[in-house]
Structure formats: structure tokens, C-alpha cells
Amino acid sequence: MLSPQLNLYLDNILVDANRFYDVALYSAIDSTLPALTFKIEDSSGKDYADFKFYVGAHIDVVLYDKNAPTTKKGNPDAKTSTNYTRFVVTRIFNGFEASPSSLGGFIQIWCTQAWAFYANYKGRIYKPQKISSIIKEVCKGAHEYARITVEDDNFVDSTDLGRTPRYKICESEVDFINTKLLPFADIGNSNPFFFVNSKGAAHLSSFTEMFSKPETSLIVPQFDLQESIGDKIVKLRDTLGLLEVHMYDSLTANIGDEDISKQMAPIKNKKYVQDNNTGIVVIGKRQPNVAPGKNSGKNIQASIPFKYEQMIFSDATSSAAIVNRTLDDAVGYIIGDDVGVNDFFRVTVQMNMAFETSDIGDTVNLLVPIFNKQEPDKDSENLEEEKKAAKKIIHWINGKWLVASKTINKGRSLQSTTTTIDLIRPTFMINETVTTVLDPQRYYQL
Amino acid sequence: MERQFTSNFDLRVYRGLIYDNGTSTDNRTQVRVLPYMADYEDDECTDLPKFPALFKGQVHNGFCEKKDGADKAEEVVILATEDFTYGFVIGKASMFYGVSDTVYLDSYNYSFIESYLSQRGFDTNNINYEDFIVQTMCMTPQDDHSGGGGLVELYNFRTGDKFIIHASGACIGITGQQVYIRCGSPTMDGSTPKYSSITITPTKITCNTDVFEVNAKNVILGKHGMNVLGTSSVAPVACSGSNLQPITNVTV
């Protein structure tokens, strides 16, 4: 999209595009519903006096290409535009910056996805069936004003045996899913993610399931930095069949957390469980099942960023007892601890554009420039070693990543649209021959 | 990332209406937890939670919604997780009344107990309300003093006296001075009282009844090693010339 524009509708009425700014449309795989904030310029105070924005007002957002054809009525054509899900206003702030006497300034609006507003609180029993089936049934039963869509392709079956009826009581659908269902579900023996993306599509999946899908975008450096990797861009684009290549403006990377327990805890997770039927106590240790692949020869896809020798002397990295639960639910709950390692590696990428090729839950391929390439000295006594070292130029940041969150921002001007995405993965995805990582075989393998 | 979805593992106390009693193969009590499940549709109720008794060996049955209707169904106290997938029934539930409520309708009605006891032949003159602990008081609609349902089980915590009394007057009473077992009641309906009783004191056993029948191969009434003589005649019998037949299985 060469000239991205955002249209914003208040209760189906188009808001002047010159008046709204500082738009942030946020969605994430670990945040159930997307959120929206923006500001409206109201220097005269008239909008505020008219009470145009009120709690529960519908906000619709459309992203379109200014240069693309429009419909006969002048609206963005559906083929070249993106309709986001419906939001409702939850909070309205006015600081009266222009003048306290005129009560003018800007109005800041916070919105949440409509399902939070149009929630169904009626109690209901869900017959014994897989938790994923219940979640899908709950989503399908959502109020039509909630504007969420349910497609079978976006729901992965959970592995629980489905032997327990579930009781929805005095709670919304989202709360019921989050507190009564998801804690006991596992997808492919790993923690589940349930989220509604910015288009209103509900998803139930796991990291491994989402990561297994082919990349939908190729993200590369700016033009002036592409020289060293130009051939790789072409090769990857052809391999992946991607027509669009997107350039990033800035990149930050994070490994781990100040609170080490968050990511360490699931690595050797010791759990105590008693079978509610037989009384037999089971004590066991579990490793997270989130690695995108296996370590095979030179390819390393299951190693996490701390050394093997640090782990072999560790009895456990966390311990807990699961009580007052059926064995089925206790097992599901234990598996949910995997979530801590899903974002062991987190890269934040900012692009100066409206990045719509990939959404949360999609995968992308990230390329960064060749790192510190040095030609071997032909006269060197260690020529073979230098030849090997000369190959180690592919930064470990390169490769396939999962889009964990996405924020589309629009500043003051109509054209100032940027997108920030968080990319995550739990392990290295490197080849020992060409990676810049020193001694990659020494890292602990999941 | 932090765990997005958590659940509380604590067991909490709830109240529920008995929806259905247990069966011979599954004696768990099926419960409609109140007020949370009050709006569940009737056709969903087959999947209401089933909880066993908290203590092994107990079964908590009572008037249930399925057979007797919601108005008559009894309430139980439940210990369960917040999603009700794991839990136990503790026992029948009392209602709670606030301090400002003047009439506690569920009160253990002492005057009823006193009347109940005295109508069944107990001396209530020396009974003090505050001395009694009522363990079970169960009254059924047939409790009309004509032998219908109802049971009171209580004991005096000062003296240790224990009583189990059926609405018909049948009872067992254990006191420091005697053990009293009775079927029927001496004062129930004002007509000729029919009852049988056994009173056991440290020195004497007294049996009161219309007919005392002993069905035994041998009856031993003493240690003298002698047989009771018997005759098939119902008229008085002089000794000379008559055959007196010893009853060898009754000795005195």
C-alpha cells in the first residue's frame, strides 16, 4: 500500500481525517481483544459540548490506499482496503488545553473491541467435549454486535479428553474462556493462545502450530544496507513465493527478562499431582514443548540461550503442586506453563508504513545485513580456520519469526502511518556452519 | 510472556439445591449451586455437577428438585473449586438470618421438642433446653403422631444422656441410670396405649408387653439345673396318678 490512509467512523459517520491523530491500533496473541486509542482535535470545544463521543459509541476503522479506486459513493474499495473490527469507546478524556473557558483542546479516546461491550452473561452448561470445541461454540454464540468471526481454519483442536462439563456462571464469554477453559487446555502438548486479531477473527492455536505455517512477509533492511544480502532477498522471496518485501526502519532485540523466573521456570518444571480417582501421587519434571524444530546436525532449532552445563546440575527450575483438580485438568494446567519461554527471543521492528501483509499469529522472515565479513588471508598459517570463520556471517537474528503483536500508528499528517511488530521465538534458528554464534552446540536443547 | 490464563485452585464453601439424589451405582449428589446456576435451563440440568460426600462412607440424600420440585428440594453445603468441576458435599445446609431478623424460622424449636418428648412418654420436667445438642431433627409431612415419619436424635451434653426418638414414639434412651428401649408410645393418641419396652437398670431388666414370645431352641431361666414340668391339660392337675411331662428345654 503506497499511500495508506486511515478512515475513522463514529457510529457509522466518517470523522474528518484532518482532525484525528495519534492513532494506535494494537493487537497481540497474548492479549485477548485488540485495543484502539486516538485523539480528536477539538479546539473550539464543540464536539465535547455536543457529547459526540460517549461510552459505548461504535468506532470503525478502515485502512485504504489513497491512490486506489473508490466505490461510486467515494468509499474505499473493499478489494484494496482493510476493514478492522468494531471498537467501542470506553473512556473519553479532555484536558481543555486550548482554553479552560471554551473547554476546547483535544479529546483522547480509548476503545476496546466490541465483544467486551456486547458480552453475554447468561449462565450455561457446556456438555463434556474438547475445550477447543467449547471455545469455538462460545465464540459462535457471541452477539452479532461483537463483530467477531469464527473460521474452522483458525481453531486448532486441543488435546484434552473432553470428559468434563464446563459451567459458565455470572461471567462474560471472554472471562469464561480465559478463566474456566484455557487454563486447562493444551494444543499439541503446549500452551494455547486465544486471541481476536485486529480484523475481528478469533484464533485458538499454539506457538508451534502458528510457527509451522509458511512466512507471509519478508522484512529486510533499508535499501542502502541491502547490498550484502541482495541475493538472499531474491532467493528467499522466490523460495517463499512472496511478492512483497518490506523494509524496517528500526530494530531492537531482547533476550530473557529481569525476572529470570519467568523464562527459567518452565525449563525444568517439577510438578506434584495426585490422581483424584486412585489417590496415586505423580511427581515429574517437564520441559516446554515449544521448539520450532529439532537440533539435527548443523541445524539448530531447539536450543535456548543458556549453556547446557548450567542446566545439567539443576534439579529443577520451578516446582509446584496442583491440587483440587481432576487429573485431566491438572495436566492441562501444567502444560500451560510453557508460555514463559515462547518469547525468550523478542525482536521489535518498526516500519514506516501500514504493514498489512502479516497479522498477529503469522510468521515472517527477517533478514539483517551480513555481519562483519572478513576475507581469509591466503598467506595465513591458519587458513582453514580463517576460511571457516569467514563463513560465519549470518546473524542469529535472521530467519523465521512469529508476529506476536502489532501496533499501527498514525501521527498528525495523513501519510504518517507506521507499524511496530513484535517478533518472538523461543529458540535459536541457526546453522552452525554460517551462524555468527560462537559454539552454538553448547546451548541447552529443549 | 506471562501466563495469560490462570485459575484459582482453592476450595470454597458454597450452597446448592439438591437436584437429584444418588443411585445404587453412583451415590454422588447432583447439585444446582446457588445462586450461580439458578438460571440454567431445565434441559441442561442433566449435566449439573455431581459431588460425593466429603467424608467417606456418608451419603447425603434428601428432597430433590428433580422428583419433588424446587420448592421442596433441600439445600446442602458444598466445598468446591470456583468452576465447580471438583468438589464435595459436606451436609444439609441451614439458612442464615441476619442480626436484624427477628424470627429465625429454622430455629430448633425447643417447645416442639419438649412436646414431642412428653407426648411420647418422656418426663420433660427436668429437661433444660440449653443442655441439649440436637444432632438430627427430621420431620416429614406424615409426622401426625399416627406413626408417620420423623426422627429426633439428641443428647444432653451435661449428663451424656442420649436419645433417638421416632415420631411414632419408638425410641432408644441411654442415661446414666438406665437404658430404655421402646416401640410404640404410652400416651400417643389417648386410646389404650400399645407399646412394648425394655428397661435395663444396673440391677433389673423389666419387659413390658402384651405378648412375650421367645423363639429359641433352649430357654434357660436359672442355674438350678432343673426342668420345668409341663402338661398338655389346661385344667389344674393333681399329682398322684397323673403324668407330668418335664419340658426339658426350659430350665430354672
Side-chain angles (χ1 to χ4, degrees), chain B residues 153-199:
Chain B
E153 183 177 352
L154 48 81
Y155 74 93
N156 185 323
F157 75 88
R158 291 188 192 280
T159 63
D161 297 348
K162 167 86 176 187
F163 302 94
I164 300 174
I165 306 155
H166 189 270
S168 65
C171 65
I172 298 174
I174 302 173
T175 70
Q177 296 79 38
Q178 70 179 29
V179 175
Y180 183 72
I181 303 171
R182 185 178 79 202
C183 182
S185 173
T187 62
M188 282 290 285
D189 56 3
S191 60
T192 305
K194 286 195 182 301
Y195 73 94
S196 297
S197 69
I198 301 174
T199 304

Side-chain angles (χ1 to χ4, degrees), chain A residues 214-215 218 231-242 365:
Chain A
E215 296 97 315
L218 180 59
D231 55 338
K232 292 191 187 311
I233 295 174
V234 172
K235 186 178 176 185
L236 263 176
R237 200 175 67 186
D238 291 343
T239 306
L240 299 173
L242 299 171
N365 200 296

Side-chain angles (χ1 to χ4, degrees), chain A residues 30-32 122-125 127 164 167-169 178-180 182-184 192-193 262 322 324-325 333 336-337 339-340 343 346 424, chain B residues 1-11 35-37 39-41 43-50 81-86 88:
Chain A
D30 58 343
S31 175
T32 310
K122 189 177 185 313
R124 203 201 133 163
I125 302 178
K127 289 186 174 297
T164 306
Y167 305 102
K168 181 173 176 290
I169 49 166
N178 284 346
T179 62
K180 304 281 175 63
L182 286 165
F184 311 108
F193 285 101
K262 284 184 185 172
I322 309 298
N324 302 329
R325 286 287 155 192
Y333 192 84
D337 279 351
V339 68
D343 65 338
R346 182 180 280 260
I424 64 169
Chain B
M1 276 180 180
E2 295 196 24
R3 190 169 188 129
Q4 190 182 354
F5 320 114
T6 60
S7 185
N8 195 320
F9 290 170
D10 291 345
L11 287 176
Y36 304 94
M37 299 180 179
D39 61 348
Y40 283 173
E41 303 290 345
D43 57 357
E44 297 180 284
C45 290
T46 49
D47 291 304
L48 282 170
K50 291 183 181 179
T81 51
E82 62 178 7
D83 65 349
F84 307 114
T85 57
Y86 183 98
F88 303 91

Side-chain angles (χ1 to χ4, degrees), chain A residues 137-188:
Chain A
E137 192 176 336
V138 171
C139 291
K140 284 183 174 176
H143 196 285
E144 60 172 312
Y145 286 2
R147 294 285 180 93
I148 62 164
T149 59
V150 180
E151 292 173 23
D152 290 342
D153 287 347
N154 293 334
F155 279 77
V156 181
D157 283 346
S158 55
T159 54
D160 58 287
L161 298 175
R163 299 191 284 199
T164 306
R166 304 289 173 177
Y167 305 102
K168 181 173 176 290
I169 49 166
C170 309
E171 57 203 332
S172 65
E173 297 107 315
V174 171
D175 285 344
F176 174 58
I177 291 172
N178 284 346
T179 62
K180 304 281 175 63
L181 302 179
L182 286 165
F184 311 108
D186 77 271
I187 309 276

Side-chain angles (χ1 to χ4, degrees), chain A residues 59-197:
Chain A
I59 302 290
D60 296 304
V61 182
V62 178
L63 177 72
Y64 69 101
D65 188 342
K66 188 183 175 189
N67 295 330
T70 58
T71 64
K72 288 180 183 175
K73 291 185 179 178
N75 292 323
D77 191 290
K79 294 176 188 171
T80 56
S81 62
T82 299
N83 290 319
Y84 293 105
T85 185
R86 170 157 288 173
F87 293 89
V88 293
V89 173
T90 56
R91 181 185 167 197
I92 307 129
F93 171 81
N94 195 330
F96 309 124
E97 284 79 7
S99 164
S101 56
S102 66
L103 299 180
F106 68 85
I107 305 172
Q108 186 160 8
I109 311 285
W110 284 262
C111 307
T112 186
Q113 201 276 339
W115 200 10
F117 196 81
Y118 294 102
N120 182 353
Y121 283 84
K122 189 177 185 313
R124 203 201 133 163
I125 302 178
Y126 288 87
K127 289 186 174 297
Q129 56 187 303
K130 281 185 182 294
I131 290 176
S132 53
S133 302
I134 298 177
I135 293 173
K136 193 191 292 186
E137 192 176 336
V138 171
C139 291
K140 284 183 174 176
H143 196 285
E144 60 172 312
Y145 286 2
R147 294 285 180 93
I148 62 164
T149 59
V150 180
E151 292 173 23
D152 290 342
D153 287 347
N154 293 334
F155 279 77
V156 181
D157 283 346
S158 55
T159 54
D160 58 287
L161 298 175
R163 299 191 284 199
T164 306
R166 304 289 173 177
Y167 305 102
K168 181 173 176 290
I169 49 166
C170 309
E171 57 203 332
S172 65
E173 297 107 315
V174 171
D175 285 344
F176 174 58
I177 291 172
N178 284 346
T179 62
K180 304 281 175 63
L181 302 179
L182 286 165
F184 311 108
D186 77 271
I187 309 276
N189 203 24
S190 180
N191 68 282
F193 285 101
F194 174 72
F195 57 91
V196 174
N197 69 12

Side-chain angles (χ1 to χ4, degrees), chain A residues 229 232 248 251 253 255 345 347 366-372 391-401 425 428-431 434-437:
Chain A
I229 56 170
K232 292 191 187 311
Y248 63 81
L251 194 75
I255 304 167
F345 294 94
V347 172
L366 176 64
L367 270 183
V368 296
I370 295 291
F371 184 78
N372 199 25
K391 290 182 182 176
K392 289 182 175 292
I393 53 174
I394 304 299
H395 201 289
W396 55 263
I397 279 186
N398 280 330
K400 191 176 183 182
W401 293 81
R425 63 188 185 205
F428 287 109
M429 289 197 72
I430 52 180
N431 182 292
V434 298
T435 184
T436 52
V437 176

